[in-house]
Amino acid sequence: MRVAVIGAGVIGLSTAQSIYEKYHSIVSPLTIEVYADRFTPLTTSDGAAGFWQPYLYDKGNVQETKWNKETFDYLLSFLSSPESVQMGIFLQSGYNLCSEQAPDPSFKDIVLGFRQLTERELQLFPGYTYGWFNTALMVEGKTYLPWLMEWLQKRGVKFYQRTIKSFKELAETGADVIINCTGMRSGQLQPDPELKPGRGQIVKVDAPWLKHWILTHNFSTGFYNSPYIIPGSRLVTVGGICQIGNWNEQNTSFDHKKIWEDACQLEPSLKHARIVEDWTGLRPVRSKVRLEREAIMSGATTIEVIHNYGHGGFGLTIHRGCAEEAARLFGQIVEQKGKGPKARL
Amino acid sequence: MKNVRVVVVGAGVIGVSTAVCIAEALPFCSVTLLADKFSPDTTSDGAAGILFAAKFPDIPLERQKRWFKDTFDHLLAIAQSQHSPEAGVMLSSGWQIFKEVPAERKPFWAESVIGFRFMTEEELKRFPDHKFGHAFTTLKCECSSYLPWLENRFRKAGGHVEQRTINSLQELSNSYDIIVNCSGLGSRTLVGDSQVYPVRGQVLKMEAPWLQHFIRDGDGKTYIYPGMHSVTVGGTRQEEDWRLHVDEGDTDSILKRCSRLEPSLSHGKVLSKWVGLRPSRRNPRVEKELVQLPGRRVPVVHNYGHGGWGVTLAWGTALDALELVRQCLQEMPLQAKL
């Protein structure tokens, strides 16, 4: 079988990985190809801070909470392995701050050592009256994506730098299944009014004395529209913007100023941090992740597509759970086509 | 009142902290910080500087709690301010783990650190050799930055700094009215205290920037302390060992023990190795005495023997030393004040 994955961000690469892991010994031959116009370090996943944390509440999307947990547990299992550094995985603790009391977040039982903030801790953050402390994971895209690509390349997965204009285009070249991991630009392959950009601008700074992430939450301005400071392995990501509907991939000095002023108020020591660069990315925001099969009619043939896009600001957080689910959907197709172990000739 | 001349001997974290406390609180005193070694050549400079206490057997617990709390609160204010990077003070979260459950599950300083709690089962899974642990947020005070920053504060408060090696208090008795002795291990010879002895500690500085938490084994011999520019891993506790040179056997042992706690360290790069002699004593000596020197009796305030807890107790004991200096001033004969 030939599988064509469109998209080489964390979703595309991890889905290719899951499909390989589950089916390379069942389906023979299994050819996996990844098509994308942008590869690491130029994808959305690369610019993200790489902090594992879902939105505070899943609004009933319990599937997503399950996928988030699978991803956390999966990454955690690599922590003690020699590969953790090459994967860009490490633990980091920090603070989620609110200006009012709020229900416990969806991830409270997934992360490590989750607890309420003490009075003394709240005193460290004037203006915030409630919040939580926990230990979570970092998975840095700029390291994780190259690791995934090498993992896939070693196993014969091929990469093609190309902009795919339609599913039909790939089907015509002989792809049996197409995995659509095109994130923000899925709309170009198939219009989706639910998919919108959540523009984020961040400032990367050198502030190695910071060892905790600090996320603030403002329930009236919406997710990621409140300052956050996330130290990484080399630089600290400072942000706090999520502009729904804004397609501008350029940095603006207006946003830079707002982000910087808010962050310095939250963490006065940032005043002395060396600013390295700004970056802008478009979060592929959707009411919920689109993870489903679609059989697209094209003349007499049926094109089997598995959609896996719309992960908003939690792509790295949810990637493994979604990849495994996509692989499961792939398995259904394998069964249907009679290519599985129960293949009848 | 005549300008009272105070000399603080020793410019490690204890000496500099004590000198600052005195200079800032007693403007009518002329304070001199006198030492043979200054940062970056003091014992304090090599220490990781993580705030962590131990219980001394003969000092009232309330006083020890106060020492820790005073130092913690003083440094926390710096960590929260814009001075944090320049002063070398930062918040640090992590775990202290134990192979056997300790008799005292909750240490006396639990309320002074931030967010103290016991580790969960999940958290302990990462440490298969260990059964129990503490999780909390404390401070890290890097003396190679902190001492110069504090010395600056000392000069701003009118203090003088003098580099000199002295072998006995006699050499100072004519020039100063009060002597404050913060000479650490040097007190063995300077004031003839044979109760202070070295406990040798070797550490490595490693590049492993993905590490964000401290990990310390409750026995105090194995620890990983991520800092601003490197990770300090250690260590050793060799009593009565005066060797200041690096022991490669210790290097191997440290790497082995620390990698067991944190496997990713095998990808770290060793940047440097350092040895320090902890100025250890059964209890730190924070007290005053009148010393008979040729010609007169000079009040001496001692503040030394903090072992591996110098950074942890510096500000708290400095405040106590300041109080003792105040007492000396009150007790000084009236004539000296004219």
Side-chain angles (χ1 to χ4, degrees):
Chain A
M1 271 180 88
R2 258 190 69 203
V3 182
V5 178
I6 318 175
V10 69
I11 300 300
L13 298 180
S14 59
T15 304
Q17 181 185 41
S18 286
I19 290 175
Y20 180 93
E21 279 175 339
K22 283 189 152 53
Y23 293 99
H24 81 278
S25 51
I26 294 175
V27 177
S28 198
L30 180 66
T31 308
I32 303 177
E33 295 159 347
V34 176
Y35 296 84
D37 53 7
R38 293 190 204 175
F39 287 85
T40 179
L42 301 169
T43 72
T44 310
S45 309
D46 288 290
F51 172 52
W52 185 100
Q53 185 168 292
Y55 297 165
L56 290 184
Y57 310 109
D58 62 22
K59 297 189 176 134
N61 283 326
V62 293
Q63 276 279 43
E64 289 181 8
T65 298
K66 174 170 161 279
W67 292 331
N68 288 328
K69 177 170 165 48
E70 274 175 44
T71 308
F72 189 89
D73 292 343
Y74 169 74
L75 294 172
L76 192 67
S77 71
F78 281 93
L79 258 193
S80 299
S81 86
E83 295 207 80
S84 66
V85 175
Q86 283 120 322
M87 289 172 79
I89 302 175
F90 54 95
L91 288 174
Q92 189 167 197
S93 297
Y95 309 88
N96 273 296
L97 304 169
C98 307
S99 45
E100 54 190 270
Q101 198 166 13
D104 285 348
S106 64
F107 51 82
K108 67 182 261 266
D109 295 321
I110 304 175
V111 295
L112 298 171
F114 179 89
R115 61 169 172 81
Q116 312 293 320
L117 287 177
T118 61
E119 270 309 311
R120 212 146 148 244
E121 285 171 313
L122 288 166
Q123 280 164 23
L124 301 176
F125 305 105
Y128 296 94
T129 55
Y130 191 77
W132 310 286
F133 186 93
N134 64 259
T135 303
L137 282 162
M138 296 287 294
V139 49
E140 296 186 313
K142 285 207 174 83
T143 307
Y144 191 54
L145 263 56
W147 179 83
L148 274 169
M149 284 193 65
E150 200 188 306
W151 191 98
L152 292 166
Q153 269 161 347
K154 268 200 196 124
R155 289 157 179 81
V157 173
K158 298 270 183 287
F159 296 88
Y160 300 97
Q161 170 139 33
R162 244 166 77 187
T163 307
I164 303 298
K165 304 253 166 49
S166 66
F167 297 128
K168 189 159 173 242
E169 179 191 329
L170 280 175
E172 275 168 1
T173 67
D176 296 296
V177 184
I178 298 170
I179 324 279
N180 176 21
C181 306
T182 51
M184 194 63 258
R185 288 168 295 138
S186 295
Q188 289 169 14
L189 284 172
Q190 188 187 88
D192 182 349
E194 286 185 62
L195 181 69
K196 300 179 175 111
R199 179 181 174 280
Q201 184 169 323
I202 54 170
V203 183
K204 289 232 182 244
V205 309
D206 187 17
W209 57 89
L210 297 177
K211 307 287 185 192
H212 300 85
W213 39 265
I214 306 172
L215 259 73
T216 66
H217 301 273
N218 185 325
F219 297 111
S220 51
T221 59
F223 54 88
Y224 299 131
N225 258 327
S226 195
Y228 60 80
I229 298 166
I230 303 173
S233 62
R234 300 250 171 225
L235 297 175
V236 178
T237 300
V238 177
I241 297 248
C242 184
Q243 297 150 343
I244 308 285
N246 187 345
W247 284 91
N248 184 10
E249 282 189 83
Q250 303 298 314
N251 302 316
T252 75
S253 49
F254 181 85
D255 287 332
H256 173 99
K257 195 159 174 281
K258 178 167 200 330
I259 293 166
W260 193 245
E261 278 171 12
D262 286 353
C264 285
Q265 202 171 41
L266 184 58
E267 179 54 63
S269 71
L270 275 177
K271 199 171 159 187
H272 297 282
R274 179 176 65 93
I275 294 176
V276 175
E277 61 183 358
D278 275 44
W279 180 82
T280 294
L282 306 178
R283 301 176 184 86
V285 174
R286 203 172 182 273
S287 52
K288 64 181 172 81
V289 173
R290 188 176 184 200
L291 181 42
E292 61 189 11
R293 280 175 60 184
E294 187 183 5
I296 299 176
M297 300 309 300
S298 174
T301 47
T302 309
I303 307 176
E304 287 286 355
V305 178
I306 298 175
H307 296 287
N308 188 4
Y309 70 86
H311 305 80
F314 51 91
L316 287 157
T317 297
I318 204 172
H319 77 275
R320 177 70 180 184
C322 288
E324 293 284 277
E325 174 64 18
R328 204 185 57 80
L329 293 174
F330 176 77
Q332 285 177 359
I333 300 173
V334 166
E335 284 290 306
Q336 275 173 231
K337 292 198 177 209
K339 303 271 174 109
K342 303 196 210 98
R344 292 168 290 274
L345 287 170
Chain B
M1 194 190 311
K2 173 183 158 226
N3 194 267
V4 179
R5 304 160 305 167
V6 179
V7 64
V8 177
V9 179
V13 69
I14 301 301
V16 184
S17 301
T18 306
V20 168
C21 280
I22 298 170
E24 288 184 345
L26 308 175
F28 54 84
C29 285
S30 132
V31 189
T32 302
L33 177 65
L34 188 150
D36 56 356
K37 292 213 165 90
F38 289 83
S39 176
D41 302 315
T42 73
T43 309
S44 308
D45 286 284
I50 290 267
L51 256 65
F52 221 79
K55 220 189 240 182
F56 297 108
D58 308 311
I59 296 181
L61 198 58
E62 278 316 303
R63 195 176 182 203
Q64 295 189 54
K65 275 188 178 173
R66 187 168 42 79
W67 282 347
F68 186 88
K69 183 181 185 316
D70 284 349
T71 310
F72 196 93
D73 292 347
H74 159 82
L75 291 174
L76 181 62
I78 297 172
Q80 287 306 104
S81 75
Q82 48 158 319
H83 301 291
S84 156
E86 195 198 334
V89 186
M90 51 179 252
L91 282 173
S92 179
S93 294
W95 308 281
Q96 178 170 223
I97 52 182
F98 298 83
K99 290 191 167 133
E100 295 300 327
V101 182
E104 198 181 59
R105 291 170 97 242
K106 200 172 179 197
F108 76 87
W109 43 265
E111 303 301 313
S112 293
V113 296
I114 296 172
F116 182 93
R117 61 171 172 84
F118 299 121
M119 285 170 76
T120 62
E121 281 304 313
E122 268 309 305
E123 288 175 310
L124 282 164
K125 279 194 182 140
R126 283 177 61 220
F127 308 108
D129 297 336
H130 297 77
K131 295 190 182 139
F132 174 83
H134 306 143
F136 55 93
T137 302
T138 183
L139 291 158
K140 188 176 199 285
C141 173
E142 301 185 344
C143 285
S144 50
S145 301
Y146 183 60
L147 293 187
W149 183 83
L150 208 57
E151 201 187 294
N152 200 31
R153 217 170 115 169
F154 174 66
R155 286 175 203 267
K156 280 208 178 103
H160 304 103
V161 177
E162 188 182 328
Q163 206 246 332
R164 209 168 114 195
T165 307
I166 56 161
N167 298 302
S168 73
L169 293 186
Q170 258 170 265
E171 296 173 44
L172 302 170
S173 61
N174 291 328
S175 323
Y176 299 101
D177 305 309
I178 300 177
I179 300 173
V180 182
N181 171 29
C182 304
S183 58
L185 201 50
S187 290
R188 245 176 105 97
T189 43
L190 193 65
V191 299
D193 183 353
S194 55
Q195 289 180 58
V196 66
Y197 62 96
V199 174
R200 181 181 178 280
Q202 182 168 314
V203 294
L204 312 176
K205 279 216 160 88
M206 293 186 72
E207 188 184 306
W210 59 87
L211 292 179
Q212 314 289 345
H213 299 92
F214 68 79
I215 304 173
R216 181 187 200 260
D217 190 306
D219 69 10
K221 290 192 183 137
T222 306
Y223 48 80
I224 298 162
Y225 295 137
M228 290 196 191
H229 304 289
S230 62
V231 181
T232 301
V233 310
T236 65
R237 283 187 180 273
Q238 295 141 327
E239 305 210 337
E240 302 280 6
D241 189 336
W242 290 85
R243 293 174 302 146
L244 275 170
H245 62 263
V246 170
D247 181 322
E248 290 308 333
D250 287 337
T251 302
D252 292 340
S253 166
I254 289 166
L255 283 170
K256 186 160 166 235
R257 283 179 280 127
C258 289
S259 299
R260 199 166 158 78
L261 293 185
E262 179 56 65
S264 73
L265 272 177
S266 58
H267 290 280
K269 193 170 89 172
V270 176
L271 298 171
S272 63
K273 304 168 194 171
W274 182 86
V275 176
L277 306 179
R278 299 173 183 84
S280 305
R281 204 171 179 275
R282 189 175 154 83
N283 301 285
R285 188 178 181 198
V286 188
E287 62 189 19
K288 69 186 205 304
E289 68 170 333
L290 266 179
V291 175
Q292 182 67 53
L293 294 171
R296 57 199 190 104
R297 300 199 327 154
V298 182
V300 176
V301 171
H302 296 287
N303 190 5
Y304 68 87
H306 301 70
W309 322 112
V311 174
T312 299
L313 303 173
W315 199 255
T317 50
L319 289 173
D320 266 16
L322 167 63
E323 185 45 43
L324 292 172
V325 168
R326 279 199 172 101
Q327 287 175 22
C328 292
L329 287 167
Q330 279 176 353
E331 289 160 12
M332 269 162 84
L334 229 49
Q335 298 94 286
K337 290 190 188 151
L338 291 170

